[in-house]
Amino acid sequence: MADKQGESQQMWGGRFAAQPSDIMQSINASIDVDRRMVLQDVAGSRAHADMLAECGIISHEDNEQIQTGLDRVLEEVKAGTFPYRTELEDIHMNVEARLKELVGEPAGRLHTARSRNDQVVTDFRLWVRGALTESQAGLLELQKTLIRRAAENTDTIMPGFTHLQTAQPVTLGHHLLAYVEMAERDRGRMHDAALRLNESPLGAAALAGTGFAIDRDMTSEALGFDRPMANSLDAVSARDFALEVLSALSIAATHLSRLAEELVLWTSAQFAFATLSDGWSTGSSIMPQKRNPDAAELIRAKAALIAGQFASLQGAIKALPLAYAKDLQDDKRLVFEAFDTFGLCVKAMTGMIGTVTFDADNMRAAAAKGFSTATDLADYLVRELQMPFRDAHHVTGRIVAAAESEGVDLAALPLQSMQSVEPRLTEDVFSVLSVEASAASRQSYGGTSPARVTEQVQLWTTRLGLEAKE
Ligand code: ARG
């Protein structure tokens, strides 16, 4: 750019006599964030230039120069020598300005029939498409790890909770597979979002389309989009795709956070269900005995950050009139950060789950506390003595009270004590009072019995194609 006296040096500076102030440049520049879209920006420019040449809008010679120049830009990016310059505002003007330095005049023809408004959101959709693939792969690794640990623990008994009060015995495998189900839906949301966002905004130009006879199908296809977006105003201003992925990431992170919270509980001295490996624990600088679950705690916090990123972008968009406004520049910071955070969290969770040691004895002992087989006793009274369930519930409540006053678990309560509440009970009742019998009996579809959990492990193994590896 010529440094003419009395004329702005900015690419858009024709009508300006003076430079923007330093603070204006600082608030306006996005290069520190959007430089991450450099590959997408080059890909978009390649497709656009090819199309312009094919449609006779620029010459084939100019296109060749542009393509050669963009090759060199890519080389510089890969070599780490590409000069990212703040005074050039964003990645689009950085690439174009460098191209100009490399090939001269033809570079100035690249921006024909295009605007940064359609360019930026084309780059952004391409970037998000790639990032979604990575997030799904991360979740798949977590699922595989959960399935492996579930397979090792199909008959490991632990307490199942409601209200964090001991409810009924469950199997650890069953518990871990619950998170496999959640992760599957999370992957599904990302997959769906990727399908919906895969339309090309390129060629919408600033907002109204262009008077040049461009071929939007050609650029759409070259960039792997399914079709060009049908409304140019929508194309440059829609960010629901970004909201949708933030929402999907936020929900997935919420699931990670729930599992993280369980790790925090389970690794406490009070639960003592699990011990994180050294690689996933941290010590205290003052209390030598500590093994802290920092990664799990940070996953809990980071799930809140991602939820905040969704709320921030929604807030930025909800009152924006059509079409483009600069508010939309800050969308990328939120989305990039959410993907980075999520990627880190899912890897940390996979690492923790893969190496955590479960204490089956402590889990079983905890499962036996809190009269966790009371429902089994009530069901037994219904089955064997044909009591209505409500009556059985009441009788069981009195037997639990008897056990409580004798200070023993149901399985250890003498038969006479039970008979003083319900005389028809015999020794046979003890067959349903152990935690193993309780879990084994829950064979309804989706239930916690080792038999059902083993089936589910097998189904997941087939579904995710795990047996080839194993
Ligand atoms: N850096 C801008 C962004 O990220 C590119 C679009 C600028 N368009 C404009 N009309 N100023 O949104």
Side-chain angles (χ1 to χ4, degrees):
M1 283 158 291
D3 186 6
K4 279 191 226 140
Q5 196 74 36
E7 191 178 298
S8 165
Q9 292 176 59
Q10 301 303 119
M11 267 191 181
W12 37 255
R15 64 163 298 191
F16 293 86
Q19 287 299 317
S21 77
D22 289 351
I23 303 293
M24 178 60 211
Q25 291 211 20
S26 300
I27 196 171
N28 205 28
S30 57
I31 186 65
D32 287 344
V33 174
D34 58 31
R35 55 185 286 169
R36 289 177 67 171
M37 303 195 302
V38 63
L39 298 182
Q40 291 76 13
D41 198 68
V42 170
S45 289
R46 281 186 183 293
H48 184 66
D50 278 341
M51 181 278 290
L52 290 176
E54 200 57 38
C55 295
I57 298 166
I58 63 171
S59 70
H60 286 287
E61 295 70 50
D62 282 344
N63 182 34
E64 267 163 39
Q65 296 272 329
I66 290 170
Q67 300 294 343
T68 311
L70 289 172
D71 285 340
R72 292 189 46 200
V73 165
L74 278 189
E75 281 162 22
E76 291 183 356
V77 168
K78 277 172 195 150
T81 56
F82 182 85
Y84 296 96
R85 288 170 284 196
T86 309
E87 64 276 17
L88 292 171
E89 256 183 69
D90 59 22
I91 190 59
H92 323 295
M93 297 209 283
N94 266 274
V95 170
E96 194 184 320
R98 184 68 188 138
L99 188 65
K100 181 96 187 279
E101 289 165 358
L102 292 168
V103 305
E105 202 245 82
R109 302 186 185 278
L110 173 58
H111 212 53
T112 316
R114 180 176 84 167
S115 152
R116 276 188 294 156
N117 297 351
D118 58 340
Q119 188 180 357
V120 66
V121 72
T122 301
D123 296 359
F124 195 21
R125 282 176 187 259
L126 291 173
W127 190 94
V128 169
R129 192 173 74 186
L132 280 173
T133 306
E134 271 178 47
S135 300
Q136 290 174 75
L139 279 172
L140 183 61
E141 281 311 304
L142 175 60
Q143 286 180 303
K144 289 177 182 175
T145 305
L146 285 164
I147 292 163
R148 175 166 65 76
R149 301 312 307 265
E152 295 162 8
N153 289 286
T154 52
D155 55 7
T156 306
I157 303 290
M158 66 177 282
F161 300 96
T162 60
H163 315 269
L164 196 58
Q165 306 281 321
T166 301
Q168 293 172 350
V170 297
T171 49
L172 175 57
H174 192 53
H175 193 117
L176 296 174
L177 287 184
Y179 285 99
V180 174
E181 299 281 344
M182 290 176 233
E184 185 70 4
R185 292 191 294 274
D186 292 333
R187 281 203 304 142
R189 269 181 280 274
M190 292 173 191
H191 179 80
D192 294 349
L195 292 180
R196 223 180 333 274
L197 71 75
N198 203 34
E199 294 191 328
S200 173
L202 196 56
L207 75 166
T210 174
F212 291 98
I214 58 172
D215 182 348
R216 292 192 57 205
D217 288 300
M218 184 178 163
T219 45
S220 170
E221 198 181 318
L223 295 169
F225 287 116
D226 294 324
R227 64 192 77 81
M229 291 181 76
N231 182 307
S232 61
L233 293 167
D234 179 45
V236 295
S237 62
R239 293 295 184 277
D240 51 293
F241 74 92
L243 282 176
E244 192 172 350
V245 301
L246 285 175
S247 139
L249 288 172
S250 175
I251 295 170
T254 301
H255 292 151
L256 296 182
S257 178
R258 295 186 76 173
L259 181 51
E261 168 63 8
E262 302 208 289
L263 287 177
V264 170
L265 287 173
W266 294 357
T267 56
S268 69
Q270 288 67 27
F271 271 80
F273 287 1
T275 310
L276 289 171
S277 66
D278 283 359
W280 293 101
S281 307
T282 51
S284 156
S285 54
I286 176 166
M287 295 165 285
Q289 84 283 12
K290 292 295 282 291
R291 285 178 81 80
N292 292 330
D294 289 30
E297 296 163 83
L298 286 162
I299 289 171
R300 267 190 328 210
K302 288 179 194 304
L305 299 186
I306 297 175
Q309 279 143 356
F310 173 86
S312 296
L313 184 58
Q314 195 201 26
I317 293 172
K318 72 177 177 50
L320 276 195
L322 299 186
Y324 178 85
K326 200 64 177 262
D327 312 44
L328 294 176
Q329 176 164 280
D330 273 331
D331 56 358
K332 288 168 287 297
R333 165 191 315 280
L334 296 167
V335 170
F336 292 171
E337 217 173 288
F339 272 108
D340 289 348
T341 305
F342 182 76
L344 194 58
C345 289
V346 79
K347 280 198 188 105
M349 184 54 82
T350 305
M352 284 191 286
I353 293 294
T355 55
V356 66
T357 311
F358 295 111
D359 191 321
D361 292 339
N362 285 351
M363 284 187 164
R364 191 206 175 278
K369 282 191 203 143
F371 314 107
S372 65
T373 55
T375 316
D376 300 272
L377 176 54
D379 290 348
Y380 177 87
L381 296 171
V382 168
R383 235 181 6 253
E384 302 300 323
L385 304 181
Q386 282 78 46
M387 273 187 200
F389 182 78
R390 280 291 152 228
D391 297 347
H393 185 283
H394 185 77
V395 168
T396 304
R398 290 177 57 205
I399 295 175
V400 166
E404 198 165 26
S405 73
E406 292 184 35
V408 294
D409 289 325
L410 280 179
L413 185 67
L415 182 61
Q416 300 94 292
S417 305
M418 293 195 220
Q419 284 171 333
S420 67
V421 178
E422 173 46 64
R424 287 175 293 169
L425 282 171
T426 67
E427 279 290 338
D428 184 51
V429 70
F430 290 104
S431 67
V432 300
L433 295 182
S434 76
V435 289
E436 285 78 11
S438 169
S441 75
R442 295 201 150 65
Q443 300 211 18
S444 55
Y445 177 72
T448 203
S449 76
R452 287 287 165 270
V453 174
T454 303
E455 275 170 17
Q456 286 297 319
V457 164
Q458 279 158 3
L459 282 171
W460 277 113
T461 303
T462 314
R463 198 163 162 192
L464 301 183
L466 304 182
E467 65 272 83
K469 252 186 168 178
E470 248 60 74

